[in-house]
Amino acid sequence: MNYRLLIQYDGTDFHGWQIQAGQRTVQGELNRILSLLEGTETNIHGSGRTDAGVHAEGQVASVQLNRAFTPEKLRNAINGNLAADCRVLEIENVPDDFHARYSAVAKTYCYRVVLGPVMSPFWFRYAAQESRPLDVELMRRAAQLFIGEHDWTAFSAAESDAGSRVRNVMSLTVTQDWDERGRCRLLQFEISANGFLRYMVRSIVGTLLGVGRREVDEAIVKRAIDEGDRNLAGATAAAHGLTLMSVQYDR
Amino acid sequence: MNYRLLIQYDGTDFHGWQIQAGQRTVQGELNRILSLLEGTETNIHGSGRTDAGVHAEGQVASVQLNRAFTPEKLRNAINGNLAADCRVLEIENVPDDFHARYSAVAKTYCYRVVLGPVMSPFWFRYAAQESRPLDVELMRRAAQLFIGEHDWTAFSAAESDAGSRVRNVMSLTVTQDWDERGRCRLLQFEISANGFLRYMVRSIVGTLLGVGRREVDEAIVKRAIDEGDRNLAGATAAAHGLTLMSVQYDR
């Protein structure tokens, strides 16, 4: 039986998604619980890794199990064994060829920044903070440069990666809203692509924040994209402001 | 100089507002910092206590200081010494006769409940959970019984209290919304009164949840209010679902 899971987690106290010896990770917790339920070593596949400190409002994972559970019973059994900072929201039975990672066609991330001198106690785990004034219109204009299919070498981790660094960014919006709960202005970057390299969202956001502070101009951003030169990109924004919002599949 | 402060805190790791020896409290933290800044023992007054685990999006406090600070400098000096779960959002200079508690004319609290079998990792600190179905229309009708000036003995802590237990509840609304972030339904009770007894909001909410589950009927609620009999009221809802939203003043 193949199951698809919709998962939320507060990444603050996780060492990211991917299982690692001696670290608390989301995949590690889920594998531990699923192996208990299944009675044998079990491996769940996420749509992709999230780094340490990154949150998920809509991570998707898939797992093959020999035992047949109703989706509701499986969800409750897993949640009953998880700490409160991670929850399976929904489970459904899916055809055997569904794989959370290989079947994914796109993903959407949100990066949040609280604007102003005071960081609300209700946002410090989930958003970065910027107390300097930002030119949001400049950022919106520069955001358009990131739309399209490019090699994103300048906006990814330096680590060697065998595969292609070409990804298609389908949308990147910059919105600014009043957050009633935190009584603060909240800047949100929402970015969708057919895939993301490591640190890609955080590097794009860090660069756009540089544009907003007038430290980086559009021509430099354009050159960074065209030339793939990491030195032209801005700083990588902090992990805790980033949230995986959703994963898109064809069916 | 008299200062008025607008304060937010995540109550999870506080033993409530009021200073207590050997406990981490909001007033205790603020007094410690203000005494350092002032160079002498200083006492800040809140609009009222909040119990252990209760949050505040808009607590108000006032403090008299001998040293003259600009409001912005004072705010930054306090925030620089606070942990991230408490923040002063705004400070203003106010006339000497302003007192956060005695000048308050009304307060508004919100009680939040996540509906359904799964508690989002983004709400477990700030909302209770109800997995049983609730009749929200019944709750709305019963909520009307709480409007007006009454003796709220049946809906408050048993502890002896010298003063009157008469308070005027000005409004009590029950709303149900889809929360996009938690991907869950969120039930919110918003209640305004000229004052609250200890456990009053949590006891009213607990009773209304009993009505929603059809465990308590309207006639019982009416008798509890009229007769002041604590045994007729429902259970007291958990502290962590409660948030002080705002404090109203005449000027």
Side-chain angles (χ1 to χ4, degrees):
Chain A
M1 300 288 285
N2 196 19
Y3 299 89
R4 166 179 161 162
L5 296 81
L6 178 67
I7 302 168
Q8 289 200 331
Y9 44 89
D10 175 333
T12 310
D13 297 327
F14 284 106
H15 231 263
W17 167 268
Q18 182 164 287
I19 195 161
Q20 283 180 68
Q23 301 284 4
R24 182 176 186 252
T25 69
V26 181
Q27 189 185 26
E29 291 291 288
L30 291 167
N31 276 352
R32 176 181 61 76
I33 295 165
L34 288 164
S35 300
L36 274 172
L37 296 174
E38 181 80 336
T40 170
E41 199 80 358
T42 302
N43 195 24
I44 190 166
H45 303 281
S47 70
R49 307 172 191 183
T50 52
D51 285 316
V54 174
H55 317 285
E57 294 178 24
Q59 171 69 289
V60 174
S62 60
V63 66
Q64 302 257 7
L65 300 178
N66 294 314
R67 289 184 56 184
F69 297 89
T70 66
E72 195 186 328
K73 276 210 175 135
L74 181 57
R75 181 194 67 195
N76 294 346
I78 298 171
N79 285 339
N81 285 285
L82 281 169
D85 56 356
C86 181
R87 276 293 173 276
V88 178
L89 299 189
E90 292 170 21
I91 297 189
E92 45 182 329
N93 284 115
V94 283
D96 276 352
D97 64 349
F98 177 84
H99 186 287
R101 183 169 161 210
Y102 302 127
S103 308
V105 295
K107 280 182 212 167
T108 302
Y109 280 92
C110 180
Y111 197 96
R112 296 182 171 114
V113 181
V114 165
L115 300 178
V118 184
M119 172 54 104
S120 165
F122 301 110
W123 280 111
F124 75 94
R125 285 188 189 82
Y126 311 113
Q129 188 195 358
E130 178 61 62
S131 47
R132 284 163 287 188
L134 294 176
D135 187 326
V136 176
E137 272 319 305
L138 266 188
M139 296 167 73
R140 285 206 178 108
R141 229 168 53 203
Q144 295 310 305
L145 301 172
F146 291 93
I147 308 289
E149 195 165 73
H150 296 286
D151 180 301
W152 296 104
T153 295
F155 298 89
S156 64
E159 68 201 7
S160 75
D161 186 1
S164 156
R165 290 173 176 234
V166 174
R167 299 289 186 277
N168 185 18
V169 173
M170 277 104 75
S171 73
L172 171 47
T173 59
V174 186
T175 56
Q176 197 189 168
D177 287 301
W178 179 252
D179 177 69
E180 192 46 47
R181 189 150 171 252
R183 317 268 160 110
C184 57
R185 278 189 305 146
L186 195 62
L187 187 70
Q188 302 194 78
F189 300 83
E190 198 162 281
I191 178 165
S192 297
N194 63 350
F196 290 92
L197 303 172
R198 193 165 197 200
Y199 301 156
M200 184 170 148
V201 180
R202 291 161 56 193
S203 175
I204 291 174
V205 168
T207 302
L208 286 175
L209 288 170
V211 170
R213 286 183 217 114
R214 301 172 192 273
E215 290 167 3
V216 180
D217 70 21
E218 263 189 47
I220 298 288
V221 176
K222 218 170 145 17
R223 269 186 59 202
I225 298 173
D226 293 346
E227 299 174 17
D229 182 351
R230 258 179 222 103
N231 298 312
L232 296 172
T236 303
H240 71 281
L242 185 61
T243 302
L244 173 58
M245 300 300 281
S246 61
V247 187
Q248 286 88 49
Y249 296 91
D250 261 342
R251 44 191 166 190
Chain B
M1 299 288 284
N2 196 19
Y3 298 89
R4 166 178 161 164
L5 295 80
L6 178 67
I7 302 167
Q8 290 201 331
Y9 45 90
D10 175 333
T12 309
D13 296 327
F14 284 106
H15 231 263
W17 167 268
Q18 183 163 287
I19 195 162
Q20 284 179 67
Q23 301 284 6
R24 182 176 186 251
T25 69
V26 181
Q27 189 186 26
E29 291 291 287
L30 291 168
N31 277 351
R32 176 181 61 75
I33 295 165
L34 288 165
S35 299
L36 274 172
L37 296 175
E38 181 79 336
T40 169
E41 199 79 0
T42 301
N43 196 24
I44 190 167
H45 302 282
S47 71
R49 306 173 192 182
T50 52
D51 285 316
V54 174
H55 317 285
E57 293 178 24
Q59 172 68 290
V60 175
S62 59
V63 65
Q64 303 258 6
L65 300 177
N66 293 315
R67 288 184 55 184
F69 297 88
T70 66
E72 197 185 327
K73 276 210 174 134
L74 180 58
R75 183 194 66 194
N76 294 346
I78 297 171
N79 285 339
N81 286 284
L82 280 168
D85 57 355
C86 180
R87 277 294 174 276
V88 178
L89 300 190
E90 291 170 21
I91 298 188
E92 45 182 330
N93 285 114
V94 283
D96 276 352
D97 64 350
F98 177 84
H99 186 287
R101 183 170 162 208
Y102 302 128
S103 307
V105 296
K107 278 182 213 165
T108 302
Y109 279 92
C110 181
Y111 196 95
R112 296 182 171 115
V113 181
V114 166
L115 300 177
V118 184
M119 172 55 103
S120 166
F122 302 109
W123 280 112
F124 75 94
R125 287 187 187 83
Y126 311 113
Q129 187 195 359
E130 178 61 62
S131 47
R132 285 163 286 190
L134 294 177
D135 187 326
V136 176
E137 271 319 304
L138 265 187
M139 296 168 73
R140 286 206 177 108
R141 229 168 54 204
Q144 295 309 307
L145 300 172
F146 290 94
I147 309 289
E149 194 165 75
H150 296 286
D151 180 302
W152 296 104
T153 295
F155 298 89
S156 64
E159 68 201 6
S160 73
D161 185 1
S164 157
R165 290 171 176 234
V166 174
R167 299 288 186 278
N168 185 18
V169 173
M170 277 105 74
S171 72
L172 172 47
T173 59
V174 186
T175 56
Q176 199 189 166
D177 288 300
W178 179 254
D179 177 69
E180 192 46 48
R181 190 151 171 252
R183 317 268 160 110
C184 58
R185 279 189 304 145
L186 196 62
L187 187 71
Q188 303 195 77
F189 301 83
E190 197 162 282
I191 179 166
S192 298
N194 63 351
F196 289 93
L197 303 172
R198 193 165 195 197
Y199 301 156
M200 184 168 147
V201 181
R202 291 161 55 191
S203 175
I204 290 174
V205 168
T207 302
L208 287 175
L209 288 170
V211 169
R213 285 182 219 114
R214 300 172 192 272
E215 291 168 2
V216 179
D217 70 21
E218 263 190 47
I220 299 288
V221 176
K222 218 170 145 20
R223 268 185 60 203
I225 297 173
D226 293 346
E227 299 173 18
D229 183 350
R230 257 178 223 104
N231 298 312
L232 297 173
T236 303
H240 71 280
L242 186 61
T243 301
L244 173 58
M245 301 299 282
S246 60
V247 187
Q248 287 87 49
Y249 296 91
D250 262 342
R251 47 189 161 189

